Amino acid sequence: MSDAESSAKLAFKGQTYDLPVKKGALGPDVIDISKLYAEGKVFTFDPGYTSTASCESRITYIDGDEGILLHRGYPIDQLAENGDFIETCYLLYYGELPNQAQRRSFEHAITHHTMIHEQMSRFFQGFRRDAHPMAVMVAVVGAMSAFYHDSTDIDDPRQREIASHRVIAKLPTIAAMAYKYHIGQPFVYPRNELSYAANFLHMCFAVPCEEYKVNPILARAMDRIFILHADHEQNASTSTVRLAGSSGANPFACIAAGIACLWGPAHGGANEAALKMLGEIGTVDNIPAFIEKVKDKSSNIRLMGFGHRVYKNYDPRAKIMQQTAHEVLSELGVKDDPLLDVARELERVALNDKYFVERKLYPNVDFYSGITLRTLGFPTSMFTVLFALARTVGWISQWKEMIEDPSQRIGRPRQLYNGPLKRDYVSISKRGK
Ligand code: CMC
């Protein structure tokens, strides 16, 4: 770095390039290489983007070494402890916590967008009953662009806002319908008098033949789970949403792309995989043998719910999730949950094992979320759906930020080509039998 620390020097093939250094409000400085190819005909190489900042953002900050997660500057534990999901949505999307009038008006807008176009419900019938609800989510959320044409003009700020309200409001309805369809029960319409989380639980667990009263403690736990998953900086699905949106694609298509990416077991699918893993371990006696298998690279087995690309410390969301798991278990009178015993012991063993310590592998948000969601009554196939529902506000806030950024251009990574050199076409008759 130069004396002024405002630029960095790169010496390459006898040339020196001055690269501007940008300083963020928090976090490492960023070396701006955007003109490097134009000036030096050289690319940088960073598969997995471990050292690459793909955009400038004012939404979420993570300090992975310290285990800090801030939304618009507010620590996640303060939001989870004192706020609620609607407020967190407002904060992520508009940049500030709402005052009372702003909150009323936002909550009203979200509540009054929860119904979906009646014809959309026919999509569900086209799926096999045993379809994974994430497959249904990708399709139905993508189909929103076929129904809400009046909010797909991305150059109109009001249309952007309406589309954003629509996805935040309708995702719980679509998620609950995906669940109801999966288990063969009738769809339950949203209820405007209920809170965001309570309405979701009602749409999932109510049936037309009897009254269903939402337990406020469980609704609070659901709300907190939504807060914990609301946004997480430039992770794989958020980057997917931004990349899809950078071409000018409509917001519903972008959110569907984010859902598709989230589905993978290394990302949102990890909560499902973590619970499956705990079930397979079964009892604490089997933990040592399982840990040995994880450490044996040839087994290709990972400790699911452990490790994170950014956190090299305890994921701050995992602590709150663990506490939420306890609250849900105690409210539902579950005294002994064998899987919770396995999870606690597994965590203790891993945190004291050289393999995990050296690699700075700690529990992430998904380690305890599966236990909590299962106790709330959700089947494992719904876990990633709940993650998608909650992350939608993060995706749409990041999408809006990108569209409103005057420097925004289509995302177009380059590559290190290692394929065959130019060669001439050979007709099939000369390629052998
Ligand atoms: N179990 C065992 N070993 C692991 C694990 C794990 N869960 N995670 C990382 N490692 C090892 C890995 O084998 C490698 O070892 P070595 O240096 O000897 O080759 C080292 O730790 C670094 O791993 P990496 O794969 O380079 O790390 P990454 O940053 O690419 O991967 C991760 C991050 C989250 C994909 C990975 O930790 C993982 O697969 N964890 C399990 C899946 C999981 O819980 N995912 C949820 C993430 S939180 C929710 C979300 O944001 O989506």
Side-chain angles (χ1 to χ4, degrees), residues 141-177:
V141 173
M144 286 177 80
S145 41
F147 283 86
Y148 302 107
H149 305 132
D150 57 343
S151 56
T152 51
D153 177 359
I154 63 161
D155 296 321
D156 177 345
R158 180 62 188 142
Q159 289 203 27
R160 289 202 294 271
E161 189 176 37
I162 294 173
S164 306
H165 288 177
R166 280 182 167 146
V167 288
I168 297 168
K170 293 183 201 306
L171 256 284
T173 313
I174 297 172
M177 289 170 85

Side-chain angles (χ1 to χ4, degrees), residues 118 120-122 124-125 129 173-174 176-182 185-189 203 206 208:
E118 192 59 22
M120 281 188 81
S121 63
R122 300 208 199 136
F124 291 85
Q125 326 302 331
R129 289 274 175 192
T173 313
I174 297 172
M177 289 170 85
Y179 172 56
K180 286 298 202 190
Y181 184 74
H182 192 50
Q185 286 186 3
F187 298 142
V188 174
Y189 283 91
M203 288 190 292

